[in-house]
Amino acid sequence: MLRQFIVFAAVVFNCFAARVELNWDVGYVFGIRDGFTYRRAIGVNGELPFPPVHVTQGDTLVINVHNSLDVPTSIHAHGLLNNGTNYYDGPDMVTQCGIPPGESFTYVLETKNQFGTFWIHGHTRHQEVDGLHTPLIIHSRKQPVVDYDEELIMTFEDWFTTEFAVRQAYIDSLEDIRTLTSNFPKALINGYDGNKTAPIKFVPGKKYRLRVICMSINNWFKFRIPGHTMTLIEADGVESMPLEVDGLSMGPGQRYSVIVTAHDSDEFNYMYNVTSYSDALVSQGLTPMVYTGLINYRDGAPVKTIQSPADEQLVWPEETAIQVLDKQAELPVDRRIELTMKKFTYTNQEHLTTLGTTLYKPVLVPTLYTALSMGDLAANSSVYGPQTNAYVLKHLDVVEVVINNPERVDHTFHFHGHNVQVIETGP
């Protein structure tokens, strides 16, 4: 009887699943995004920002990508597991060759049992830095952890005055990077200059789910709505037990969903605060940068001034405080890998950080192709190249990864195709 019920449920679920097909022409666009600099960027179908992608749990998302750039391109759905279909994962020279200029490639992305807040971004030549990214929202078919009336998307980006390739070539040409004038980016909120973003509309008494996505490449962001409490219900595409926080602190690639309840009265409007900061770039005193925007209860209503405590007195999400809704016991470990971040300094004083003792260098043949074509040698990590720092794992092994960061700069880490259990953090 139980088996019959499971089969029936699976059939019903599949009946509701849809095939959502998009045609993306990736090409150059020109415009002013930060309110100051007219520059070339990368968009889709002539737009930047281009529309978010919305699908429902169980749907198949098909993206037909045509490359109208003059260099290769690829895209990655950040957070999707791609279990059994990692050839659609997107990293150039890891799971595929880049799509050549003038050519096309179709990504078939199965959402399966995943739902939550994700994003899609370029994964070739740092093209995500130049605009090739957008939110991906996978709506759940089940009741949410906390009921809400409406949902809104908020995105944060760091935006430089020149294209990545131009900026990197200039940095590489310097005899001493310490002579570099400011390399600190502006911040974009919802795709535009952080101080000129359209107001967020709140209706008194309604509950809002804010899907907040940090689509930056370098900068960290802090987000608060003084006078309002946030209840965190999702972290990086995984439902969590409700957790009250005062604000969000987010590194590159991170996503949160929070519930914010609007006040019962529209007597006042409020301001939200977004702080962009980084310790990793030459900033000439430009970090942190603070941006504000309007929470609009009623057109023309006065803005209520709220004294905000110091950050140290506020509650921010911590990895060890966030508990997944679908709790699991700590998994038994089959293998342990310990990685230590190491900073390399070039003769021009440019710093690059790696895991281990070797700087990663892209290979000539995608890693996945090597794994599929080398037979028994695929189990030998050396076939993947001396600068890949490759680890060969056994199928279904549980691997404990210990990451040591002796540097003063915070880093986020993203494991393609996997969710992880955070077992321990500490100095």
Side-chain angles (χ1 to χ4, degrees):
M1 180 64 185
L2 177 60
R3 180 180 180 277
Q4 291 176 337
F5 173 78
I6 292 173
V7 171
F8 176 74
V11 170
V12 171
F13 185 85
N14 288 332
C15 287
F16 285 102
R19 183 180 175 91
V20 179
E21 189 161 351
L22 303 174
N23 295 314
W24 280 11
D25 185 4
V26 175
Y28 296 113
V29 296
F30 291 83
I32 303 174
R33 300 191 74 200
D34 61 1
F36 299 96
T37 308
Y38 182 82
R39 53 157 286 194
R40 189 172 79 163
I42 299 176
V44 167
N45 300 335
E47 294 184 84
L48 185 63
F50 50 99
V53 176
H54 289 268
V55 294
T56 302
Q57 176 188 0
D59 287 353
T60 298
L61 173 61
V62 180
I63 305 179
N64 303 307
V65 177
H66 178 76
N67 183 11
S68 291
L69 304 173
D70 55 9
V71 293
T73 192
S74 65
I75 62 170
H76 166 60
H78 190 111
L80 279 197
L81 300 181
N82 289 312
N83 189 0
T85 57
N86 58 330
Y87 40 83
Y88 291 131
D89 195 48
D92 178 36
M93 303 315 293
V94 177
T95 60
Q96 68 169 94
C97 297
I99 307 168
E103 299 298 327
S104 301
F105 184 83
T106 296
Y107 294 85
V108 181
L109 305 173
E110 302 287 352
T111 63
K112 295 184 178 178
N113 292 322
Q114 287 190 267
F115 55 88
T117 307
F118 306 86
W119 60 304
I120 300 174
H121 60 81
H123 218 303
T124 297
R125 301 187 179 214
H126 299 283
Q127 290 165 357
E128 73 278 13
V129 186
D130 293 321
L132 185 52
H133 51 234
T134 195
L136 167 62
I137 308 302
I138 305 177
H139 297 277
S140 175
R141 295 187 182 275
K142 68 176 188 176
Q143 193 73 11
V145 179
V146 176
D147 287 331
Y148 56 89
D149 299 299
E150 295 182 26
E151 62 179 58
L152 305 168
I153 299 173
M154 287 201 71
T155 61
F156 306 137
E157 304 170 52
D158 43 15
W159 190 250
F160 295 85
T161 56
T162 55
E163 294 175 68
F164 177 86
V166 174
R167 188 173 67 258
Q168 190 61 50
Y170 173 66
I171 291 173
D172 292 343
S173 72
L174 295 174
E175 292 185 2
D176 189 337
I177 195 176
R178 291 171 295 187
T179 64
L180 178 68
T181 56
S182 177
N183 187 36
F184 200 74
K186 299 291 192 302
L188 306 182
I189 300 174
N190 292 337
Y192 299 97
D193 174 13
N195 284 321
K196 297 180 181 178
T197 302
I200 297 173
K201 179 65 177 176
F202 271 16
V203 174
K206 281 194 172 184
K207 284 186 177 182
Y208 292 88
R209 177 179 184 163
L210 302 184
R211 297 181 182 267
V212 188
I213 308 173
C214 185
M215 301 196 302
S216 71
I217 186 66
N218 174 82
N219 282 26
W220 286 64
F221 287 82
K222 287 185 175 180
F223 169 56
R224 289 195 63 228
I225 309 177
H228 299 72
T229 300
M230 299 177 178
T231 301
L232 191 149
I233 62 168
E234 177 211 354
D236 295 335
V238 178
E239 282 187 305
S240 65
M241 299 290 291
L243 175 68
E244 284 201 2
V245 295
D246 295 311
L248 302 176
S249 178
M250 307 179 70
Q254 287 189 288
R255 298 97 62 207
Y256 289 120
S257 278
V258 293
I259 302 296
V260 180
T261 301
H263 295 302
D264 291 331
S265 170
D266 65 358
E267 181 181 1
F268 296 103
N269 291 330
Y270 296 80
M271 302 300 294
Y272 66 78
N273 301 328
V274 175
T275 302
S276 172
Y277 62 100
S278 172
D279 295 321
L281 295 177
V282 176
S283 62
Q284 303 288 357
L286 295 178
T287 182
M289 300 184 77
V290 179
Y291 298 81
T292 59
L294 185 66
I295 302 293
N296 185 29
Y297 278 81
R298 176 170 54 85
D299 293 343
V303 175
K304 187 169 185 177
T305 302
I306 297 176
Q307 296 297 324
S308 182
D311 283 358
E312 295 76 17
Q313 298 175 289
L314 300 172
V315 178
W316 305 90
E318 297 288 344
E319 286 88 349
T320 51
I322 301 172
Q323 299 184 36
V324 297
L325 190 65
D326 181 18
K327 294 181 180 179
Q328 297 180 4
E330 181 179 340
L331 297 172
V333 174
D334 299 303
R335 180 176 176 183
R336 186 176 190 268
I337 296 174
E338 185 163 354
L339 303 171
T340 299
M341 298 176 61
K342 181 177 175 59
K343 180 186 290 184
F344 287 80
T345 303
Y346 285 87
T347 55
N348 69 349
Q349 300 304 308
E350 181 180 4
H351 300 303
L352 291 177
T353 302
T354 185
L355 287 173
T357 59
T358 306
L359 283 170
Y360 176 82
K361 184 177 181 180
V363 291
L364 299 179
V365 176
T367 303
L368 179 62
Y369 298 0
T370 300
L372 294 174
S373 62
M374 292 299 291
D376 292 341
L377 287 176
N380 186 334
S381 62
S382 64
V383 303
Y384 300 101
Q387 288 190 264
T388 61
N389 298 311
Y391 289 84
V392 178
L393 307 176
K394 293 181 180 179
H395 184 52
L396 297 181
D397 263 6
V398 175
V399 182
E400 179 181 78
V401 181
V402 179
I403 301 174
N404 302 309
N405 179 14
E407 307 296 333
R408 64 181 180 86
V409 178
D410 291 338
H411 287 267
T412 55
F413 285 87
H414 167 51
F415 291 88
H416 282 223
H418 297 80
N419 288 324
V420 301
Q421 292 181 323
V422 177
I423 303 301
E424 184 181 7
T425 63

